[in-house]
Amino acid sequence: NTEYTAEIKEKVNFILDHLKIVLCNKNRELFKYVVAWLSNIATGGKNETILYFRSGQGTGKSIFTEVLGLDVFKRLVAFSNNPDIVGQSSFNGRLEGKMLLVLEEIPVINRNMWFSLNNAMKHLITGKKIEIRNKNKKTKEMDNILSLIFTSNNNALKVSSDDRRIICMSISHSKVGDKKYFSKLNNKMRGQNVGEAFFNYL
C-alpha cells in the first residue's frame, strides 16, 4: 500500500467533498453510488449506466471530469464534444483501449439528433461489443469496456422516469460565482501524486 502525506490526503478529501456537496448536492446515497461507479472503472470494470451531469454553467462539473481525465484515469479516458463519436457509422478510433468516455457539452440541434444520440448512448451502455472504425483501415470489433459520463448545460438527453440506465446528478448551484472556492479547488486538484492518490482511493 502506498502511503501519502497528510497534504495529499487532504487534497483528495477536498475533491471528494466537491463531489459530495456540490455535484451530488449532499445526497449521501448518490455520492456512494458515484464513488462505487468510479471505483469499478479503477478496478477494470464496465458500468452499464451513464452519469449525467446537467446543470447551468459554473457549478464545477467540468473541473471534476477534467481531473478524472488528466490526473486520475489519464490514458484510459477519451473526451469529446462531437455526438458522432457514439454513432455506429462514424470514425471512433480514439475510443480503442479506453475505459471512460466523457461527452462534454454536446450541442443538440434538433429532435432527430436528440433521439439518435439517446439510442447510440444506450447501445454503448449495454452492448457487449464495439466496432472501432479508423479512416482507411479495416473495422475492428472489440469488447465494449467503455463507461460514459455526459455533461451538459442543456437538456440534451431524453430521460424517462423509469430509465435506470441514466443516473441524473442532482447538482448544487451554491458555488456558482465563488471564485475563491474554485481557486482553492483547482489548487487541490493539481499537484504531484494527487491523481494517483485519488485513483488508489478508488
Side-chain angles (χ1 to χ4, degrees), residues 52 54 105-108 113-115 117-118 121 150-159:
Y52 182 21
R54 181 174 67 85
E105 305 305 334
I106 299 295
V108 177
M113 182 179 171
W114 196 41
F115 280 106
L117 177 61
N118 276 267
M121 297 269 281
F150 192 102
T151 73
S152 180
N153 294 330
N154 306 296
N155 187 21
L157 284 183
K158 180 178 181 292
V159 184

Side-chain angles (χ1 to χ4, degrees), residues 47-201:
N47 295 298
E48 294 192 347
T49 56
I50 294 175
L51 295 187
Y52 182 21
F53 290 78
R54 181 174 67 85
S55 70
Q57 295 183 356
T59 56
K61 59 185 183 295
S62 294
I63 293 176
F64 182 73
T65 56
E66 183 179 303
V67 80
L68 287 180
L70 297 180
D71 302 306
V72 180
F73 295 122
K74 298 182 180 179
R75 67 183 183 280
L76 300 177
V77 179
F79 287 86
S80 181
N81 60 2
N82 183 355
D84 289 341
I85 198 170
V86 298
Q88 297 183 43
S89 59
S90 301
F91 298 124
N92 64 353
R94 60 198 290 196
L95 299 183
E96 185 173 353
K98 305 302 183 186
M99 295 195 68
L100 176 62
L101 171 61
V102 180
L103 288 166
E104 299 184 298
E105 305 305 334
I106 299 295
V108 177
I109 300 169
N110 55 52
R111 186 177 179 84
N112 287 338
M113 182 179 171
W114 196 41
F115 280 106
S116 178
L117 177 61
N118 276 267
N119 290 335
M121 297 269 281
K122 289 175 181 177
H123 172 76
L124 274 184
I125 297 171
T126 58
K128 300 301 181 184
K129 298 289 182 177
I130 182 173
E131 288 188 346
I132 300 296
R133 298 172 296 275
N134 288 291
K135 192 173 183 180
N136 300 323
K137 291 185 178 181
K138 187 177 180 180
T139 297
K140 294 188 289 186
E141 186 178 72
M142 307 185 72
D143 290 338
N144 179 13
I145 59 173
L146 269 179
S147 297
L148 286 88
I149 290 178
F150 192 102
T151 73
S152 180
N153 294 330
N154 306 296
N155 187 21
L157 284 183
K158 180 178 181 292
V159 184
S160 59
S161 59
D162 61 346
D163 195 331
R164 297 181 181 179
R165 290 171 292 194
I166 301 176
I167 307 302
C168 296
M169 304 295 290
S170 179
I171 299 176
S172 169
H173 286 70
S174 62
K175 299 299 183 182
V176 174
D178 190 338
K179 294 181 180 179
K180 185 177 180 180
Y181 172 81
F182 283 109
S183 176
K184 186 175 182 180
L185 178 63
N186 189 63
N187 175 262
K188 300 295 184 184
M189 287 181 166
R190 302 299 172 219
Q192 193 172 10
N193 297 329
V194 175
E196 177 189 295
F198 195 95
F199 183 89
N200 284 333
Y201 167 82

